[in-house]
């Protein structure tokens, strides 16, 4: 067990970064790693688990000197926790671009040392971070631009986007440190980048084809793609640039789908969120209600084509 003076010494030097595990969240992490010169504890979380991540810190014997939370929306459940952490002397910075519930923003601003917030899913958290820190070092803004690199940007930005995409859900701090300090790609990095270039070409071929399409109960159009995880990552909202549809369902893994709505239509998918039972099969739906939902089957059985069809039928009824 740490003695009081040892705990105080450790806490004074400890910085915790809690960020989302997608490209945007990893870009934020790299920016903050650079700012803190790698003297930080990096943790990945999301909207569902941010409360438990903060509770874990609160219950630790040594409270950190500083906490950054990036690319994760705030919610009413975390307010009391971060207020208590602030009472312990922890400085808290929250950087995000997702919709926040009700009066949460004002309450969060009262608890945090600084809140960098812009409710716009089209303005990634990494872009906000870059703008916030650019006066300290222009490189922060350069790193932030990686968030836009799939649609535009330099080769350097595009290749970093490809590399980070290959680590979604399985990020590594040493990779983010290479980005933080503008280091050269390793041989493994280059292999991952080349593989993702191939996946981009496959995705482009898929986009050029007319998708399978369904009409929903409210006369909306639902495009459906059944593809691999790697190809699915690169489809995203590009579908809406190629096809005039309202929604797009992408089957990316055996038990996982992504449902996106056309950003120009401004339609909410909030009513779909939560656990749903469809003819004996349980699906968990969650994510960004105005942009993207992850749909995961909790069935112990292997996913068969008829279950995929059940999901399509259910969405056509609900959308």
């Amino acid at each position: 067990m740490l003695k009081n003076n040892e705990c105080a010494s450790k806490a004074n030097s400890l910085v915790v970064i809690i960020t989302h595990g997608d490209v945007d969240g990893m870009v934020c992490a790299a920016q903050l790693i650079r700012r803190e010169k790698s003297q930080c504890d990096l943790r990945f979380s999301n909207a569902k688990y941010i409360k438990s991540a903060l509770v874990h810190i609160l219950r630790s014997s040594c409270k950190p000197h500083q906490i950054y939370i990036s690319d994760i929306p705030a919610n009413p459940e975390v307010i009391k926790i971060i207020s208590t952490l602030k009472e312990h002397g922890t400085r808290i910075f929250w950087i995000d671009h997702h919709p926040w519930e009700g009066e949460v923003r004002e309450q969060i601003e009262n608890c945090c040392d600084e809140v960098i917030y812009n409710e716009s899913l089209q303005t990634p958290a990494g872009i906000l971070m870059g703008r916030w820190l650019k006066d300290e070092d222009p490189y922060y803004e350069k790193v932030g631009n990686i968030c836009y690199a799939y649609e535009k940007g330099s080769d350097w930005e595009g290749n970093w986007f490809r590399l980070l995409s290959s680590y979604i859900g399985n990020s590594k701090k040493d990779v983010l440190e290479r980005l933080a300090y503008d280091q050269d790609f390793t041989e493994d990095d280059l292999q991952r980048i080349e593989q993702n270039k191939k996946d981009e070409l496959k995705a482009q071929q898929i986009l050029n084809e007319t998708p399978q399409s369904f009409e929903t109960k409210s006369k909306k159009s639902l495009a459906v793609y059944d593809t691999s995880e790697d190809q699915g990552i690169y489809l995203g909202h590009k579908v809406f640039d190629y096809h005039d549809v309202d929604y797009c369902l992408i089957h990316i893994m055996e038990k996982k789908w992504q449902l996106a709505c056309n950003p120009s239509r401004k339609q909410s998918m909030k009513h779909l969120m939560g656990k749903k039972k469809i003819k004996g099969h349980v699906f968990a739906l969650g994510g960004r209600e105005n942009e993207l939902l992850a749909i995961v089957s909790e069935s112990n059985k292997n996913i068969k084509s008829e279950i995929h069809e059940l999901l399509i039928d259910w969405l056509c009824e609900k959308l």
Side-chain angles (χ1 to χ4, degrees):
M1 179 177 289
L2 289 170
K3 296 179 181 179
N4 289 339
N5 61 340
E6 292 176 319
C7 183
S9 176
K10 181 179 179 182
N12 286 338
S13 63
L14 180 59
V15 173
V16 175
I17 298 170
I18 305 174
T19 192
H20 194 206
D22 63 1
V23 171
D24 191 13
M26 285 187 274
V27 165
C28 290
Q31 291 163 314
L32 293 171
I33 287 170
R34 182 181 180 90
R35 192 183 200 213
E36 297 300 331
K37 299 176 175 60
S38 295
Q39 301 302 308
C40 53
D41 181 6
L42 178 60
R43 306 178 187 184
F44 291 94
S45 188
N46 54 39
K48 182 177 180 180
Y49 294 108
I50 183 60
K51 178 184 176 181
S52 60
L54 290 169
V55 167
H56 180 76
I57 293 173
L58 183 62
R59 291 175 177 172
S60 63
S61 57
C62 294
K63 306 297 185 293
H65 164 66
Q66 200 157 282
I67 298 174
Y68 294 97
I69 303 167
S70 60
D71 196 31
I72 298 174
N75 64 70
E77 294 182 334
V78 306
I79 292 169
K80 186 176 180 180
I81 303 169
I82 61 175
S83 295
T84 305
L85 284 166
K86 186 175 182 179
E87 291 172 4
H88 283 282
T90 300
R91 303 181 69 206
I92 301 171
F93 299 84
W94 205 307
I95 304 95
D96 188 44
H97 66 129
H98 298 101
W100 288 8
E101 301 175 32
E103 304 300 321
V104 166
R105 180 174 180 178
E106 182 178 349
Q107 294 172 300
I108 291 292
E109 287 178 339
N110 290 335
C111 301
C112 293
D113 288 77
E114 193 158 0
V115 174
I116 313 301
Y117 180 68
N118 180 0
E119 186 179 325
S120 171
L121 295 174
Q122 279 68 52
T123 306
I127 294 291
L128 298 178
M129 186 85 73
R131 293 172 182 171
W132 178 44
L133 299 177
K134 67 179 180 180
D135 289 343
E136 297 180 14
D137 182 346
Y139 185 68
Y140 291 117
E141 191 168 32
K142 180 180 178 180
V143 173
N145 288 335
I146 291 170
C147 296
Y148 285 144
Y150 180 53
E151 296 183 350
K152 59 182 180 181
S154 65
D155 289 343
W156 182 88
E157 292 163 357
N159 284 334
W160 269 110
F161 183 94
R162 295 180 182 101
L163 180 60
L164 295 181
S165 295
S166 75
Y167 280 103
I168 290 177
N170 187 33
S171 183
K172 295 182 179 180
K173 188 177 180 181
D174 64 316
V175 175
L176 300 179
E177 285 180 323
R178 290 201 290 280
L179 172 56
Y181 303 121
D182 199 13
Q183 296 174 354
D184 293 337
F185 292 120
T186 66
E187 189 61 36
D188 180 65
D189 291 341
L190 293 173
Q191 290 177 5
R192 284 174 172 268
I193 290 168
E194 286 305 310
Q195 180 58 52
N196 275 26
K197 285 182 179 179
K198 294 177 181 177
D199 292 329
E200 286 177 32
L201 290 174
K202 293 177 183 177
Q204 189 63 53
Q205 293 171 356
I206 293 171
L207 285 169
N208 288 330
E209 298 173 358
T210 302
Q212 186 179 18
S213 186
F214 299 84
E215 184 176 81
T216 71
K217 187 175 181 179
S218 61
K219 305 299 181 182
K220 304 293 185 182
S221 51
L222 171 68
V224 177
Y225 289 91
D226 193 349
T227 184
S228 74
E229 180 178 12
D230 292 335
Q231 294 166 14
I233 288 173
Y234 287 101
L235 292 180
H237 283 109
K238 298 286 283 185
V239 171
F240 303 115
D241 294 333
Y242 285 75
H243 305 287
D244 184 24
V245 293
D246 297 291
Y247 298 93
C248 179
L249 179 69
I250 304 170
H251 190 188
I252 58 173
M253 297 176 67
E254 184 186 20
K255 295 188 176 185
K256 186 174 181 179
W257 294 258
Q258 286 182 342
L259 177 66
C261 64
N262 193 320
S264 68
R265 311 289 162 85
K266 297 183 178 179
Q267 300 160 130
S268 174
M269 299 187 287
K270 186 175 183 178
H271 64 290
L272 298 177
M273 297 176 73
K275 288 194 176 182
K276 310 294 180 181
K277 193 170 185 178
I278 307 172
K279 294 189 177 181
H281 299 281
V282 178
F283 294 84
L285 290 81
R288 307 171 184 177
E289 64 182 78
N290 296 314
E291 183 187 32
L292 183 69
L293 289 185
I295 307 174
V296 180
S297 170
E298 297 186 351
S299 172
N300 291 325
K301 300 178 181 179
N302 290 331
I303 294 296
K304 297 180 180 178
S305 60
E306 58 263 30
I307 299 179
H308 176 61
E309 292 168 4
L310 280 176
L311 180 60
I312 294 172
D313 290 343
W314 182 80
L315 288 172
C316 285
E317 180 68 24
K318 298 297 180 181
L319 293 173

